[in-house]
Amino acid sequence: MTETNETILSLKHIKKTFGEHQVLKDISFDINKGEIATIIGPSGGGKSTTLRCINLLEEPTAGEVDFHGENVLAPNYNRNIYRAKVGMVFQQFDLFENKNVLANCMVGQELVLKRSKDEARKIALANLKKVGMEQYVNARPSQLSGGQQQRVAIARAICMDPEILLFDEPTSALDPEMVGEVLSVMKNLATTGLTMIIVTHEMAFAKEISDQMFFISDGIITEQGKPDQLFNHPQNEKTVKFLSNFQNN
Amino acid sequence: MKSRFKWLATLVALFTCLSIAANFSLTEADAKKDEGTLKVAMEANYQPYNWTQTNNANGAVPIEGSKEYANGYDVKIAKIIGQKLHRKVEVVKTEWDGLLPALTSGKADLIIAGMSPTAEREKAINFSQPYRNSTFVVITKINSRYANAKKLTDFKGAKLTAQQGTFHYDLIKQLKGAKRQPAMRDFAAMRQSLISGTIDGYVAEDTESTSFKMVDPDIKSIPVSKMSGFHATKDESVTAIGIAKPNKALLKSVNQILATIPEAKRTKLMTEAVKQQPKTDNNKKGKKAKSEPWLVSMWRQYGGMILNGIGMTLLLASVGTIAGFFIGLAVGIVRTIPTPTTTGKRWLLKFVNWLLSVYIEVFRGTPMMVQAAVIYYGIAQFWHLNIDRTVAALIIVSINTGAYLAEIIRGGIISTPEGQFEAASALGMTHNQRMWHIILPQAIKNCLPSITNEFIVNIKDTSVLSIISVSELFFVGSTVASQTFKFFPTYLTISAIYLILTFTITRIFNLIEKHLQGSKNYNLMANQVQVGTPKDMEAKN
């Protein structure tokens, strides 16, 4: 919402195949600094794969991922440093089971950013407070509810001071009563000027928060634009059909 | 990329350490084996020829690599030979089946173990002139109707037996008309049967009758060797000293020395040996020793030995499990290294993985007993490396455990949820960082029950190392059993000790697991200390 015109990330003709199956056919888009982008679309359409191609959890079969104008797929590009700048929040939270809440938020800072223990702890505590989990520093992930775990996962990601934060269906695995607490944390984050790319099925949330939306289906972007355009004046048939499912509910 | 191969370096370093340890003990063993020592292999477990005792009473000689001593007829003969050769005698305590390998691999200079020079054995080693001629007797009760037998046929109708697996049992066939009973396991069983009257007598050597008479004067031995028609081959009736084939000079001097020991002296030595052999209260009839329970007297005599055995078993099992764990960890880690991008490294990794899978297959696919024999005797025989038996045992248990744990740990690494890898990658961690800080702690925790299990298995399975005569609990137990003639109570005691060990260790590891697991629920109040003061809390509420 504090969008600028500086392009921070651009995907150029990304293709991804798993064996015979081509999941991404041709995905290209630009993300500006401070922009909140959401990706919606039917299941199996390639939303998550697009996200995973951005931080290279999946290696694109073809195409370019440019970060500040540099192709991160180039052989000599330092991927670990890049990944530290592109945070990710997973559908299944994936907190480190062997570490407590505080340590989950510290380990990346210490190992990757080489911050001192004290500094890492200070930053971790501050961010845990932001997500309302400061009372649970000593808890183990298995002792927390799904919503609490996801809030810790968000804190863990923002401790790394990422330039972009990716959310892969962050509320899909949650019981309905816990969705709200996570979404409100995300809304707060959006006000800080952090660039975010969110894959979600929460249409109302997407409509409210997004600067730009992408509708991905069958491995291509069939429609993109401002929320108003997608929700109120969809051009593509697939978008219309997809959105009608939600409006009927 | 480079750092990935740190694992490889670690592994190489580990193996280097092991081989250095082996080398170290090698030089140590070499140093000990100077001209001054005459190493004599025997079971130290075959009374009255040889036995183990806890002190040096009656001129006993030290047993190599232990705090115990050996004595007996064989030791007395060995001492005479040593004296004449100006060499100090040291006993190499070895299982019966390990005697020949001990000689051929150079771990001993002589076998003096009540061994008969059979044709089969003479193919492998040379034998000296006999140092004892056995006399065979039928042992019976003094009031038995066979007590006055004068010829072989006088045993007609007698129920006779002998020890299982010995030619004594075949000799009964020469006593025409005698009723041959099923063979028995040991002398203790035969003595018991004779006293209870289930048999009329048993065939044995005269030494057995001498020792039996010491505890029960009511028995009589009837020599049958001289009776007409009795026939025993040289193989069966004499015992000789074994010497390695190439060692012709030693054979010659041993024969010369034996020629200087007259028959009378030999008989005297044997009588001494029979008198000195560890006392057992077996079959003592109502004498004063009866007031003391068997377990107490056994413990008084052998308690120290058994404690040492327990110590050795625990040492082997714990060092083996810990070293095996690190080997398994290194192997497990190497085997889960992601495929490198450059071709050269890819091939190197493929080759290393192949080597490691061979290691795992070989050591999981063969019995530890066989591995021990191959490594301990084989290395000595073919490379002339003399590894100390305890070091050899430690190495064997470690690499054996390593092979099992490698697969367990690899399984633990692989079964760690994919999300843990991904979350760590997404934070920008390198492969090594992911492994050390995220994956391995979880994998090891999940493997802990299997590691405990491996420890328990090691406590029990190190008993097979008795093949290379490591004096662990089982080896000590079998020594005590054959010296006390109390097989059942001794092995029962030994198994009780094993059970106590495994039971205790299982509980300890269960506690550790429970501690690592932590509680299911998070207690907000109990865990707040780190965050803020109670004041903060009040403000929040």
Side-chain angles (χ1 to χ4, degrees), chain B residues 64-99:
Chain B
E64 175 209 55
S66 84
K67 288 180 197 133
E68 290 150 13
Y69 295 83
N71 207 345
Y73 180 69
D74 290 335
V75 175
K76 292 173 196 299
I77 293 287
K79 279 172 74 182
I80 295 175
I81 294 171
Q83 212 169 26
K84 295 266 167 72
L85 292 175
H86 305 291
R87 289 168 74 174
K88 211 172 141 247
V89 175
E90 193 173 47
V91 165
V92 181
K93 185 174 177 173
T94 309
E95 291 273 277
W96 181 257
D97 293 331
L99 287 171

Side-chain angles (χ1 to χ4, degrees), chain A:
Chain A
M1 302 204 170
T2 46
E3 195 184 345
T4 66
N5 288 326
E6 183 196 339
T7 301
I8 186 168
L9 181 85
S10 52
L11 268 55
K12 293 179 179 165
H13 308 292
I14 294 292
K15 293 183 177 61
K16 176 68 190 176
T17 47
F18 292 107
E20 297 281 288
H21 183 49
Q22 187 169 21
V23 181
L24 300 184
K25 289 171 185 157
D26 183 7
I27 301 282
S28 300
F29 59 71
D30 290 343
I31 303 292
N32 289 342
K33 196 166 193 287
E35 189 175 39
I36 312 289
T38 47
I39 301 175
I40 58 168
S43 296
K47 307 183 300 290
S48 284
T49 308
T50 304
L51 210 62
R52 292 164 64 86
C53 279
I54 292 175
N55 75 347
L56 307 182
L57 284 180
E58 304 292 353
E59 186 81 21
T61 316
E64 255 184 54
V65 179
D66 288 355
F67 183 62
H68 288 300
E70 272 189 273
N71 182 11
V72 306
L73 296 171
N76 294 324
Y77 195 87
N78 190 327
R79 292 178 169 205
N80 288 327
I81 289 179
Y82 164 70
R83 277 172 163 168
K85 291 177 184 165
V86 181
M88 177 130 174
V89 174
F90 296 86
Q91 184 176 353
Q92 297 292 342
F93 339 125
D94 296 335
L95 293 179
F96 302 131
E97 296 292 335
N98 59 318
K99 296 187 180 297
N100 67 19
V101 165
L102 186 64
N104 259 282
C105 296
M106 287 169 66
V107 63
Q109 298 185 61
E110 288 178 69
L111 292 178
V112 181
L113 305 180
K114 311 289 177 203
R115 284 178 183 156
S116 74
K117 215 178 186 82
D118 285 341
E119 193 187 1
R121 181 195 303 272
K122 227 168 91 186
I123 293 170
L125 287 173
N127 284 317
L128 283 169
K129 198 162 187 173
K130 271 189 207 165
V131 300
M133 288 299 292
E134 74 275 22
Q135 293 182 14
Y136 295 88
V137 282
N138 290 323
R140 296 196 158 267
S142 58
Q143 294 169 322
L144 302 177
S145 73
Q148 290 173 322
Q149 288 192 57
Q150 194 60 297
R151 284 189 279 151
V152 173
I154 293 170
R156 174 175 72 179
I158 56 179
C159 279
M160 303 295 284
D161 293 333
E163 295 185 32
I164 305 174
L165 195 46
L166 311 176
F167 291 86
D168 187 7
E169 302 196 28
T171 57
S172 300
L174 296 177
D175 291 337
E177 72 269 23
M178 292 172 186
V179 171
E181 60 185 87
V182 172
L183 292 183
S184 81
V185 165
M186 289 170 69
K187 280 180 202 163
N188 283 338
L189 264 186
T191 62
T192 64
L194 181 63
T195 313
M196 290 159 63
I197 306 175
I198 306 162
V199 170
T200 187
H201 287 293
E202 298 290 331
M203 290 306 144
F205 169 74
K207 194 174 181 179
E208 180 189 340
I209 199 172
S210 304
D211 298 311
Q212 194 179 189
M213 290 184 76
F214 302 99
F215 184 84
I216 294 182
S217 174
D218 293 328
I220 49 169
I221 296 176
T222 50
E223 189 148 3
Q224 73 182 85
K226 299 266 175 205
D228 175 60
Q229 189 185 328
L230 251 81
F231 282 99
N232 300 329
H233 315 285
Q235 305 293 309
N236 190 292
E237 251 177 69
K238 282 179 181 170
T239 322
V240 178
K241 201 175 164 217
F242 178 77
L243 289 175
S244 71
N245 287 335
F246 286 90
Q247 271 141 21
N248 289 345
N249 287 339

Side-chain angles (χ1 to χ4, degrees), chain B residues 96-105 111 115 120-121 124-125 127:
Chain B
W96 181 257
D97 293 331
L99 287 171
L100 261 59
L103 194 65
T104 51
S105 63
I111 296 174
M115 187 180 267
E120 196 62 35
R121 290 176 191 142
I125 59 171
F127 279 100

Side-chain angles (χ1 to χ4, degrees), chain B residues 396-464:
Chain B
I396 290 156
V397 185
S398 302
I399 53 184
N400 194 283
T401 311
Y404 279 93
L405 288 183
E407 282 303 272
I408 288 169
I409 290 170
R410 190 172 73 101
I413 292 171
I414 291 173
S415 63
T416 306
E418 184 67 20
Q420 300 287 311
F421 283 91
E422 291 188 346
S425 305
L427 287 178
M429 290 189 199
T430 63
H431 175 73
N432 282 350
Q433 289 171 336
R434 288 199 296 262
M435 269 300 183
W436 274 124
H437 296 273
I438 309 300
I439 307 303
L440 284 179
Q442 298 183 43
I444 290 168
K445 191 179 125 189
N446 292 337
C447 289
L448 206 58
S450 305
I451 295 169
T452 312
N453 196 41
E454 200 57 33
F455 193 19
I456 300 295
V457 167
N458 273 343
I459 286 191
K460 297 180 298 169
D461 282 8
T462 44
S463 59
V464 305

